[in-house]
């Protein structure tokens, strides 16, 4: 593994499978009376959140604490636009605190990359979602969930499996990271959405693309529905929310066209009635709640593998 | 070239003796749980369990206990792959847990195992069975059941091969030698 | 200070045969084959009252003083980024004897008062002539015309008008501006960027922008405005200058407009001739510029357009920014990069060393044509007897590694730091007076 996790593209197939197998071991530990492991005792993990995301922060916090790391939550004010707290000044503060890992969430694409490569900090940097760029730990937990359901929890288990990622691919960091990671793991990805919400050049991402959800659904082993954010509804990307739901929403009728084993995923938070109906979200195919559970194990695996032995490699 | 000090038969005999000693010490197999420390402790635990079952006509619960996250040298080496921890269905609370490992050396692995064990439950007693005790303890730890005491120098490397873990069809053996400078000893 | 006489020995004018050039009284006083002027000076020492200062110019190319049609000097308002003094020092070191200062200062150069202030500051600094550019619209807001006539009639004699940094996107306002400047032979320099197509834009729209999650700045947002403005210019019979052309499509549109005989000129920036959008993958805002770095195909098209004259000039778009405006995340960073001190090296590297342009072509693109477009009489003249002695001596055989810390600019945002570039300015003469000698600033206030 590289020292930082900035993009799903940083992971080789071996790296990714190591995260998954490690997460599988850690997940089984979650059933024990004492959930804490001493692996990161004395290490400090900083959750640096420039953007509100209680879910992701709590997931990372639980992961770090279960590995006995000291956790500092740093909710920085100010986005890239308001020029509040500067990323650099915050980074220098963290460096002074002796952070071993910085988990960063930022509204600006590439902010974790800047943090890792500008010489401001020496810590490992974990991207917890940057702008419309990537969210690699979300992709890892999605892959982990897929792997448990479709891949028998074995290396190579996702080879040839077909996954549709549906919705606002243009603005989705989850879609970017998943498209990269799932293909690294051998899965076949189809990106589905209205043409206005598929990025320029998406045809070179290695994934299939389609504008026709109904044609894709019967062929896939998993459907991942992406959230449609409120501001897109005003952005003129599609005429009305109703038309969007009609063409790209997953409802009971569409769910009935899936194969029996096909699972339904959503990175959350859902806009019920928009991209997914309540009956689909709550159906037996839905693994949405499990995705959240898996998030902690996957983030534990990432922190452990990045920090477990990062201090010195020549001290044999 | 490493010199073989125990062959397959020696190992089988040692394990049989350990099995009997465990039974004697614990007055039967009633509340025993055998936990092997991966990797090589796990097949050894299974072999001991098989022997005990043959005598007592009772299946001793066997599991594995990974100690990776409890190691005191985690920070000094690249992150290690986790190995399976499998606690038998009945748990370990109130049981007599026999930890099984291949080689007892510094004692640090067992120290980590004791920590790991206390996070899993509260056994009535914990005992330690090892195939080889090579000395050089760095902690106040001793084994309850020893297959073979093997005096070594610190520079030497003890390598244990068990048929279950070898793909090449080789048989059980314990060998001792001085490793080439580049290879990493695993007998700690 | 009495003006010194200089004898430039064995300089190669526009890369031609070695020649001696005599500079006296601020003008070119003589041009002769090597040794031809020696007779006029018995003594060639520096001490002699009637002697000339001799500059050995073996191997050096003599070019007319460079003229930049697109410089951001930041004064008034952002003196933390650049001042007229520091900006013109950088200009002199880059071989420029005249620069046009863009109007997006604070206050905006949209009145006679502000343009005269800038003009005066340039004269006081003395390193390089400063020609203020007037804003097209009040406060660059794109709502109503600024007092273009008052700026034209001021002491600064403004002839170039631009809202640069912003596009005059309202077609009616653009039409009116083009019409209005005809009264004083002005030109509207358009920053071609459709605002709606580039809302929040961060980098060239491409497969890479999609991957990096940076909002795209599509080529069509530039090309659509250029096409419209060409049509408007033809319709009203005025003069249009297109700032910082960055795409192959734009080159094609300008080429077509010229073929039709329309009065359209265009500029390319050094960074667009060399760098590509791949650099955005570093997320290092040092590469963030507007218009953005484009594809390798666009770079090729710009070079070809500059070579065949479709693109008339090279302009630097020198855009200084203080460190904190670049030492941050990409989206928060300011657009723009330094350009004055490296422009000629980049042009040598991309155009001359590649065989696309000879030194006469460089003189045309970087001196004669920009002076013509800006209606600057005292610059952009061939090195001939009687012409103002605005001359650059350039060593094409030298190479240098760019060190941002060495820049004369107050800012450090050069994208070329660490790069090895060919060519070095040895000397710059402004009306016979050296502003740069031995590659270093010389003199100062006139
Ligand atoms: Zn501009």
């Amino acid at each position: 593994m590289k020292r930082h996790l900035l993009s799903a593209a940083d992971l080789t197939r071996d790296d990714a499978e190591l995260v998954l197998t490690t997460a599988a071991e850690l997940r089984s530990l979650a059933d024990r009376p004492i959930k804490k492991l001493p692996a990161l005792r004395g290490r400090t993990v900083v959750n640096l959140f420039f953007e509100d995301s209680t879910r992701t922060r709590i997931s990372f916090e639980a992961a770090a604490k279960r590995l006995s790391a000291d956790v500092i939550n740093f909710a920085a004010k100010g986005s890239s636009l308001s020029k509040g707290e500067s990323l650099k000044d915050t980074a220098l503060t963290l460096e002074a605190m002796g952070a071993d890992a910085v988990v960063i969430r930022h509204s600006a694409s590439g902010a974790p990359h800047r943090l890792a490569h500008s010489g401001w900090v020496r810590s490992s940097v974990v991207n917890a979602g940057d702008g419309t760029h990537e969210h690699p730990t979300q992709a890892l937990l999605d892959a982990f969930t897929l792997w448990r359901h479709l891949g028998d929890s074995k290396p190579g288990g996702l080879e040839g499996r077909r996954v549709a990622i549906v919705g606002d691919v243009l603005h989705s960091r989850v879609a970017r990271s998943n498209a990269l990671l799932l293909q690294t793991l051998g899965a076949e990805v189809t990106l589905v959405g209205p043409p206005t919400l598929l990025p320029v050049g998406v045809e070179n991402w290695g994934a299939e693309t389609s504008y026709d959800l109904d044609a894709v659904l019967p062929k896939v082993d998993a459907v991942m529905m992406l959230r449609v954010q409120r501001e897109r509804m005003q952005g003129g990307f599609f005429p009305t929310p109703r038309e969007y739901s009609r063409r790209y929403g997953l409802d009971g009728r569409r769910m009935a066209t899936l194969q029996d084993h096909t699972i339904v995923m959503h990175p959350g938070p859902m806009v019920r009635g928009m991209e997914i109906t309540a009956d689909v979200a709550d159906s037996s195919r839905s693994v949405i709640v499990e995705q959240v559970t898996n998030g902690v194990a996957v983030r534990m695996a990432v922190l452990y593998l990045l920090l477990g032995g990062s201090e010195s490699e020549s001290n044999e | 070239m490493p010199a073989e000090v125990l062959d397959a038969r020696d190992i089988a005999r040692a394990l049989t003796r350990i099995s009997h000693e465990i039974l004697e010490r614990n007055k039967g197999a009633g509340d025993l749980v055998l936990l092997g420390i991966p990797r090589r402790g796990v097949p050894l635990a299974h072999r001991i369990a098989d022997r005990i079952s043959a005598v007592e006509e009772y299946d001793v619960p066997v599991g594995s206990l990974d100690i990776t996250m409890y190691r005191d040298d985690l920070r000094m080496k690249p992150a290690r792959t986790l190995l399976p921890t499998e606690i038998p269905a009945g748990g370990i609370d109130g049981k007599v847990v026999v930890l099984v490992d291949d080689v007892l050396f510094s004692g640090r692995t067992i120290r980590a195992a004791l920590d790991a064990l206390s996070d899993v439950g509260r056994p009535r007693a914990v005992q330690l069975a090892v195939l080889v005790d090579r000395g050089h303890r760095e902690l106040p730890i001793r084994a309850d059941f020893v297959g073979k005491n093997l005096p070594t120098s610190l520079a030497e490397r003890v390598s244990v091969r068990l048929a279950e873990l070898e793909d090449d069809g080789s048989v059980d053996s314990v060998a001792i030698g001085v490793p080439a400078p580049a290879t990493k000893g695993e007998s700690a | 200070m009495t003006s010194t006489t200089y004898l430039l020995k064995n300089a190669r004018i526009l890369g031609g045969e070695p020649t001696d050039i005599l500079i006296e009284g601020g003008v070119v006083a003589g041009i002769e084959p090597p040794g031809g002027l020696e007779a006029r000076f018995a003594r060639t020492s520096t001490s002699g009252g009637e002697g000339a200062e001799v500059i050995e110019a073996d191997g050096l190319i003599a070019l007319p003083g460079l003229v930049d049609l697109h410089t951001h000097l930041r004064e008034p308002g952002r003196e933390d980024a650049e001042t007229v003094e520091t900006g013109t020092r950088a200009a002199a070191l880059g071989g420029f004897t005249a620069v046009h200062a863009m109007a997006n200062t604070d206050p905006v150069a949209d009145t006679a008062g502000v343009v005269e202030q800038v003009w005066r500051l340039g004269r006081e600094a003395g390193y390089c002539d400063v020609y203020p550019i007037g804003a097209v619209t009040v406060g660059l807001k794109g709502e109503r015309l600024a007092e273009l006539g008052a700026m034209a009639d001021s002491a600064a004699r403004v002839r170039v008008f631009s809202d640069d940094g912003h596009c005059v996107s309202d077609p009616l306002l653009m039409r009116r501006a083009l019409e209005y400047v005809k009264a004083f032979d002005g030109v509207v320099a358009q920053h071609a960027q459709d605002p709606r197509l580039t809302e929040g834009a961060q980098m060239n729209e491409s497969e890479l922008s999609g991957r990096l999650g940076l909002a795209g700045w599509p080529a069509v947002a530039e090309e659509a405005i250029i096409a419209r403005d060409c049509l408007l210019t033809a319709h009203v019979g005025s003069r249009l200058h297109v700032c910082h052309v960055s795409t192959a499509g734009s080159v094609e549109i300008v080429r077509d407009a010229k073929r039709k005989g329309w009065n359209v000129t265009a500029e390319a920036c050094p960074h667009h001739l060399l760098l590509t959008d791949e650099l955005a993958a570093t997320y290092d805002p040092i590469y963030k510029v507007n218009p953005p770095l484009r594809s390798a195909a666009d770079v090729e098209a710009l070079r070809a357009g500059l070579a065949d004259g479709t693109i008339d000039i090279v302009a630097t778009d020198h855009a200084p920014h203080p460190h904190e405006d670049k030492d941050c995340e990409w989206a928060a960073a300011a657009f723009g990069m330094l350009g004055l001190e490296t422009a000629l090296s980049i042009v040598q590297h991309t155009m001359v060393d590649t065989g696309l342009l000879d030194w006469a072509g460089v003189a045309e693109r970087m001196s004669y044509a920009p002076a013509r477009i800006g209606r600057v009489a005292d610059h952009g003249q061939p090195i001939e007897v009687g012409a103002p002695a605005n001359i650059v001596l350039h060593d094409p055989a030298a190479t240098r590694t760019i060190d941002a810390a060495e820049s004369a600019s107050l800012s450090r945002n050069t994208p070329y730091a660490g790069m090895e570039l060919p060519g070095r300015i040895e000397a710059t003469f402004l009306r016979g007076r050296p502003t740069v000698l031995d590659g270093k600033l010389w003199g100062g206030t006139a």
Side-chain angles (χ1 to χ4, degrees), chain C residues 115-174:
Chain C
V115 294
E116 285 188 351
Q117 180 196 354
V118 173
W119 176 74
R120 233 180 344 261
L121 286 167
R123 287 172 58 103
E124 284 165 11
Y127 289 99
C128 158
D129 288 347
V130 175
Y131 296 91
I133 292 175
V136 176
T137 67
V138 175
L140 309 175
K141 287 199 165 68
E143 290 163 359
R144 57 200 170 85
L145 292 183
E147 290 190 347
L148 309 183
M151 292 188 272
D153 294 340
S154 74
R157 293 191 68 259
V158 176
R159 289 295 175 271
V160 183
F161 297 90
S162 180
D163 272 4
D164 184 61
H166 300 269
C167 180
V168 182
S169 63
D170 179 338
L172 183 60
L173 200 55
M174 186 62 183

Side-chain angles (χ1 to χ4, degrees), chain C residues 70 72 102 164-166 191-192 243-244 290-291 317:
Chain C
H70 192 149
H72 294 275
M102 272 297 174
D164 184 61
H166 300 269
H191 169 115
C243 295
H244 41 53
N290 192 18
D317 196 3

Side-chain angles (χ1 to χ4, degrees), chain C residues 166-232:
Chain C
H166 300 269
C167 180
V168 182
S169 63
D170 179 338
L172 183 60
L173 200 55
M174 186 62 183
R175 173 196 169 141
R176 297 284 187 247
L178 285 165
E179 286 177 315
Y180 197 78
V181 299
K182 285 161 60 175
F184 32 82
D185 196 22
V187 62
V188 178
Q190 175 71 294
H191 169 115
Q193 174 181 8
D194 185 285
R196 283 282 281 155
L197 283 173
T198 52
E199 277 173 16
Q202 296 293 326
M203 69 169 290
N204 183 38
E205 184 165 271
S206 62
E207 186 199 338
L208 186 65
S209 66
R211 282 181 186 279
L212 296 178
L214 292 172
W217 198 132
V220 63
E222 174 176 308
E223 293 156 5
I225 293 292
I226 295 176
R228 181 201 73 177
D229 288 353
C230 286
L231 291 163
L232 282 173

